[in-house]
DNA sequence: CGGAGCGTTGATTAACTTCAAGGGCTGTGG
DNA sequence: CCACAGCCCTTGAAGTTAATCAACGCTCCG
């Protein structure tokens, strides 16, 4: 009924259109959901971190590619028995609805980012999201020594930018003293308030997950 | 239990953060879901057409503004009794899940559009969506005499563009013979294939709703 | 006739992409 | 231990797209 699967960085977990034989939960690692245009331009439409869920009740296929970014371990269940379980336990159905609505809110916040934010605001929003999600997952609680789980190129695909623009804007925020880099993949937030002001969001929130 | 409400164009149906006292279904007209940055830039994150649903099981507030674009009539139910009804009739809960997942797919297609498509591709995608949605709603079946439910400015907010760019690209597609304008709010599609090719999507779909 | 709302068009500018080159790790093999 | 290749990142310069700024046209309506 329950089994674990592992994937190497860059390995595709599911292709768009694939049959969903399994539903799964991310145990370890980071994976991306992405969509691609005919000529190869791609846009990440979601990021899976540990505890996130793959699969959608009543759907047999996925509408995007799912790719391992780091080493990923999934905890998988066969779809059919899982869906029967949903029928009998309304508590789980409710939880899945909750997940879908959270993803929907996150997607809509990201639409605002993609459609209206400047490169600088996009980067600031992304970093702020990392602070928040890292803390939620309890890996670290003090905004210092955060990990960038993505390369510059992957960040660009997430934010609708090019990798050069990502590099330039990250360094701009660094030069302004908002963040500091430990190495290329590790940073700390020096001035969280200034970072938030650079996101363009209002003071009280509306923060994407 | 059930009642109708009407709104004039431009009237706000719900503000972001408002209590959801009601859930509702759109009977007539067009409404927008939109988000706004601190300095006033706005991005439409969804479009409500007849038969679309407002309200989310388990959520007490809305995360975006809902505004009437045309004259709108809603069919409203008190939220509390409606949620009790969900508990007892799993069929409805299932339908709501279906709706949420459809919206999620649409939101992700729109992320690809906002993040990676050119102005021309955005406009072509928008027009193609109008063809498809108009046909689905059975108002018209032959791709001619379609209605633009939005002003240039509103289209711009939907596509993450400015109104000038919308105007220029619409006229560009007209001059290339893909579409023809009856008047400012009515057009017909002359060459649906060419229009599709201008969207940048692959041949087989992945079309936003 | 005058004004408001919406749309078009042109000129200029700004932001981001594209193109190009080089730098700095890291792992591997001689 | 060093040389070298590959990968990722940075930086600079040029090019492009769409935004901005500005003016004008059309239509409806009082």
């Amino acid at each position: 009924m329950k089994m674990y699967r592992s994937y190497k960085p860059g390995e595709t977990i599911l292709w768009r259109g694939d049959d969903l034989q399994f539903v799964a939960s991310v145990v370890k690692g980071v994976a991306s959901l992405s969509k691609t245009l005919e000529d190869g331009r791609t846009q990440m439409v979601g990021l899976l971190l540990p505890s996130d869920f793959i699969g959608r009740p009543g759907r047999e296929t996925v509408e995007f590619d799912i790719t391992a970014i780091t080493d990923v371990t999934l905890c998988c269940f066969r779809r059919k028995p899982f869906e029967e379980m949903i029928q009998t336990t309304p508590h789980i159905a409710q939880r899945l609805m909750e997940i879908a609505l959270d993803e929907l809110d996150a997607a809509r916040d990201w639409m605002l980012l993609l459609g209206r934010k400047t490169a600088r605001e996009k980067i600031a929003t992304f970093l702020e999201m990392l602070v928040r999600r890292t803390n939620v997952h309890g890996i670290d609680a003090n905004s210092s020594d955060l990990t960038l789980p993505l390369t510059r190129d992957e960040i660009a695909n997430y934010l609708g930018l090019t990798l050069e623009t990502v590099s330039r804007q990250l360094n701009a925020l660094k030069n302004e003293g908002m963040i500091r880099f430990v190495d290329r993949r590790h940073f700390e937030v020096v001035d969280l308030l200034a970072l938030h002001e650079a996101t363009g969001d209002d003071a009280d929130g509306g923060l994407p997950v």
Side-chain angles (χ1 to χ4, degrees), chain A:
Chain A
M1 171 87 190
K2 170 175 156 182
M3 58 180 291
Y4 290 88
R5 290 197 180 192
S6 290
Y7 300 85
K8 291 271 146 216
E11 200 176 339
T12 297
I13 297 171
L14 285 168
W15 294 102
R16 167 163 169 244
D18 273 0
D19 269 6
L20 261 177
Q21 305 285 4
F22 297 88
V23 298
S25 165
V26 178
V27 174
K28 192 172 73 65
V30 181
S32 69
L33 316 181
S34 61
K35 288 184 159 267
T36 304
L37 291 174
E38 201 172 24
D39 64 1
R41 282 170 286 169
T42 85
Q43 174 66 52
M44 227 182 258
V45 298
L47 201 56
L48 296 174
L49 300 186
S51 85
D52 283 339
F53 182 78
I54 297 175
R56 8 197 38 214
R59 301 288 172 103
E60 312 234 325
T61 59
V62 284
E63 289 304 311
F64 34 72
D65 300 326
I66 306 182
T67 311
I69 288 178
T70 61
D71 281 301
V72 168
T73 305
L74 300 183
C75 175
C76 302
F77 302 82
R78 294 201 150 277
R79 190 167 62 85
K80 285 283 164 53
F82 181 78
E83 296 200 333
E84 283 156 22
M85 193 167 72
I86 293 174
Q87 302 287 330
T88 56
T89 47
H91 172 71
I92 293 186
Q94 216 169 318
R95 177 75 193 116
L96 288 174
M97 174 60 98
E98 190 61 29
I99 289 172
L101 291 179
D102 284 347
E103 288 185 44
L104 190 51
D105 285 340
R108 285 176 164 155
D109 280 317
W110 221 247
M111 284 170 69
L112 176 61
L113 176 144
L114 292 171
R116 293 301 185 198
K117 288 191 179 182
T118 63
R120 175 190 170 84
E121 290 168 337
K122 288 177 176 180
I123 295 288
T125 305
F126 174 68
L127 294 179
E128 191 182 53
M129 183 199 72
L130 283 182
V131 172
R132 209 153 24 77
R133 289 199 65 155
T134 304
N135 289 347
V136 164
H137 290 86
I139 298 162
D140 185 270
N142 57 6
S143 299
S144 70
D145 196 32
L146 295 152
T147 301
L148 273 178
L150 310 178
T151 65
R152 305 296 185 260
D153 190 41
E154 288 158 344
I155 296 170
N157 282 334
Y158 198 22
L159 299 177
L161 297 170
T162 59
L163 69 123
E164 294 94 331
T165 300
V166 170
S167 176
R168 281 187 247 268
Q169 295 295 336
L170 278 174
N171 285 314
L173 295 187
K174 182 195 74 184
N175 292 335
E176 290 174 40
M178 287 183 207
I179 57 173
R180 183 158 40 218
F181 280 102
V182 177
D183 61 33
R184 296 198 293 195
R185 299 295 283 261
H186 297 270
F187 69 101
E188 51 186 318
V189 176
V190 177
D191 187 344
L192 191 53
L193 182 60
L195 185 66
H196 180 76
E197 275 165 8
T199 63
D201 291 319
D202 25 357
D204 59 338
L207 305 171
V209 176

